[in-house]
């Protein structure tokens, strides 16, 4: 569990970073922290930070076996029962 003031980070693989920014800010009241479109942006609401990674981001690169998304590193990709890719990762030191 996280404390009430700890930031929770969730990465979403999106088809279009600018469309994702518009959706989360307009409809769900998120604020933009950084935007490096078309590859990446991150938005926050409360203690939730969404990392929005587009197809040209490092997270969108194919893995060695050809699977997408994800560069190498300390991470694992899982699919939930609906087929959504969930990335668990350990931040770089």
């Amino acid at each position: 569990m996280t404390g009430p003031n700890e930031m929770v980070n969730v990465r979403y693989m999106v088809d279009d970073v600018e469309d994702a920014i518009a959706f989360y800010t307009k409809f769900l009241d998120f604020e933009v922290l950084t935007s490096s479109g078309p590859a990446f942006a991150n938005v926050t609401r409360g203690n939730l930070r969404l990392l929005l990674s587009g197809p040209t981001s490092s997270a969108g690169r194919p893995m060695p076996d050809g699977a997408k998304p994800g560069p190498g590193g300390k991470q694992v990709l899982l699919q939930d029962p609906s087929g959504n890719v969930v990335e668990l990762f350990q931040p770089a030191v």
Side-chain angles (χ1 to χ4, degrees), residues 34-83:
T34 60
S35 178
S36 300
F40 176 80
N42 67 81
V43 296
T44 62
R45 183 167 187 231
N47 66 339
L48 173 60
R49 182 173 81 140
L50 297 181
L51 309 165
L52 306 172
S53 295
T56 61
S57 70
S58 62
R61 293 182 191 147
M63 294 189 291
D65 67 359
K68 288 187 172 185
K74 294 186 178 190
Q75 66 183 12
V76 63
L77 301 171
L78 307 168
Q79 278 190 325
D80 73 9
S82 297

Side-chain angles (χ1 to χ4, degrees), residues 14-23 35-41:
V14 299
D15 294 328
D16 186 299
V17 171
E18 296 303 321
D19 284 348
I21 290 171
F23 174 80
S35 178
S36 300
F40 176 80

